[in-house]
Amino acid sequence: MLNVRRLLLLTEATERGSLTAAAEALGMTTSAASQQMSLLEQEAGQPLVERLPRGIRPTPAGAALAERGQAIRRELRAAQADLDSFTALDQGTLRLGSFPTASASLLPLALTRFRRRHAGIRIEVRAGVLAELREMLHTGEVEQGLLWDYEWNRLDDPALSLTHLLDDPTVLVVPADSPLRTHPSVRLGDLADQEWIIRADNHPVADVLRRSCRQTGFEPRIAYASHDYQEAQAMVAAGLGIALAPRLALTSRRSDVRLLPFASDVPAPTRRILLARAAARPATPPAQAMDRVLRTVAQQFTAPGLHRAQLGAVRRG
């Protein structure tokens, strides 16, 4: 098979009429260019250029190869342009994985900002629970994934590279007219006689409630098992019980409920929000750009008092 670099040298020399000029254009010495041309003629099995007192002239075979070389050079330049456009974030696809809470809070703002800066990048988002998102990352179905963990189930996966974006504290959801709303902070032990709204289907927040209450010394009395946070808020507003929820899950807070922080010594866990990618695969330029955007957005979601303002200013971006 012919050497492509030598073929490009032949193309340049034919166009410029000089091996010396071709060598300069390709960043080679004249002697190196002459040696490479001789090797190309050996590969071709026949002369490709006639060496003249002043320059060169292609043989018919050399002219035919030089024409092929022009087409190859065009394709190589197009390939480089494609790579440059990906580096410049002008085109490509970024596949993300996310879980419902992040998709309703952190991710929309990040997507909006990313699209403003990199309109040529197509974004696909896959939703899933934690196990599904990890599998998508391992198989390459998504390049990046928003994940979460608690202290008792830390993600320990050497196949994943993790970036800690923010801490998402657990808050208490009570009716707007609850006497608890006047407390600057709440102690979980003072809530042992309350009825609770819990998440159904072994949801992680149900585990958070049971673990926290048991650590404090009581078993929660469950009044209702909800299937999403809006439903849970509605049942709280109706007076059926109170609930625990991660703060990010309540960016769309109902006006008839209040969110209360826990005292600092209360065992109400904080979950970590993480950005993950496969450790064995280098991050593409779009993924690197999304990483930067998510880090910036995450800082806004950790600003003091955002849970009291429903994160409204952040969501308006």
Side-chain angles (χ1 to χ4, degrees):
M1 182 179 294
L2 297 176
N3 183 284
V4 173
R5 289 181 60 85
R6 294 167 188 158
L7 184 57
L8 295 177
L9 172 64
L10 172 64
T11 302
E12 291 286 342
T14 298
E15 292 176 344
R16 298 173 185 273
S18 166
L19 198 57
T20 299
E24 291 177 359
L26 296 175
M28 304 169 63
T29 64
T30 302
S31 60
S34 179
Q35 182 182 23
Q36 291 300 308
M37 185 62 69
S38 297
L39 290 172
L40 180 61
E41 289 179 321
Q42 291 178 25
E43 291 173 349
Q46 58 185 298
L48 299 175
V49 296
E50 297 178 20
R51 288 161 173 81
L52 306 174
R54 296 177 64 85
I56 60 98
R57 179 171 61 208
T59 65
L65 279 184
E67 186 175 350
R68 295 285 187 181
Q70 291 174 343
I72 292 172
R73 185 176 59 193
R74 283 194 298 270
E75 289 300 317
L76 288 173
R77 287 175 176 172
Q80 185 61 55
D82 285 345
L83 290 176
D84 291 343
S85 69
F86 282 109
T87 302
L89 298 176
D90 291 332
Q91 60 177 290
T93 299
L94 177 61
R95 296 185 302 277
L96 292 169
S98 183
F99 59 98
T101 300
S103 296
S105 56
L106 184 70
L107 187 57
L109 178 57
L111 292 175
T112 299
R113 294 192 173 192
F114 186 92
R115 288 184 182 281
R116 287 175 186 164
R117 300 173 187 176
H118 313 297
I121 301 296
R122 181 172 181 268
I123 299 178
E124 299 176 358
V125 180
R126 308 272 200 277
V129 297
L130 187 60
E132 293 171 340
L133 292 170
R134 292 177 66 177
E135 182 65 17
M136 292 179 199
L137 286 162
H138 290 154
T139 61
E141 183 179 348
V142 298
E143 183 175 356
Q144 292 175 304
L146 287 166
L147 310 179
W148 55 265
D149 69 8
Y150 284 100
E151 183 179 2
W152 62 84
N153 69 341
R154 290 296 189 216
L155 282 173
D156 184 16
D157 189 340
L160 296 180
S161 175
L162 302 175
T163 298
H164 178 203
L165 293 176
L166 73 152
D167 289 326
D168 187 18
T170 298
V171 296
L172 183 68
V173 187
V174 302
D177 59 355
S178 169
L180 293 170
R181 73 187 189 282
T182 61
H183 295 201
S185 61
V186 179
R187 292 183 176 277
L188 197 58
D190 297 334
L191 305 175
D193 59 344
Q194 296 283 336
E195 299 283 339
W196 291 88
I197 310 300
I198 200 169
R199 288 298 303 270
D201 303 324
N202 296 316
H203 191 278
V205 171
D207 189 29
V208 169
L209 174 65
R210 290 193 171 96
R211 283 176 178 269
S212 301
C213 293
R214 288 167 184 167
Q215 187 174 350
T216 306
F218 70 93
E219 189 71 24
R221 299 203 309 266
I222 308 303
Y224 186 80
S226 68
H227 290 84
D228 60 55
Y229 289 110
Q230 284 299 312
E231 183 185 7
Q233 289 187 67
M235 293 299 104
V236 170
L240 194 61
I242 60 177
L244 292 186
R247 190 176 67 185
L248 280 184
L250 302 167
T251 53
S252 297
R253 177 174 64 84
R254 292 173 56 106
S255 61
D256 48 6
V257 300
R258 295 291 180 268
L259 311 183
L260 305 180
F262 283 100
S264 59
D265 60 342
V266 170
T270 292
R271 68 176 179 176
R272 298 189 308 170
I273 306 299
L274 308 164
L275 179 63
R277 64 174 179 84
R281 303 186 191 101
T284 62
Q288 294 173 19
M290 180 58 79
D291 183 293
R292 293 189 293 269
V293 170
L294 281 167
R295 287 172 186 260
T296 300
V297 170
Q299 290 176 1
Q300 296 190 46
F301 277 80
T302 58
L306 281 180
H307 61 291
R308 291 189 294 273
Q310 294 180 256
L311 304 177
V314 169
R315 289 191 288 115
R316 289 191 294 271

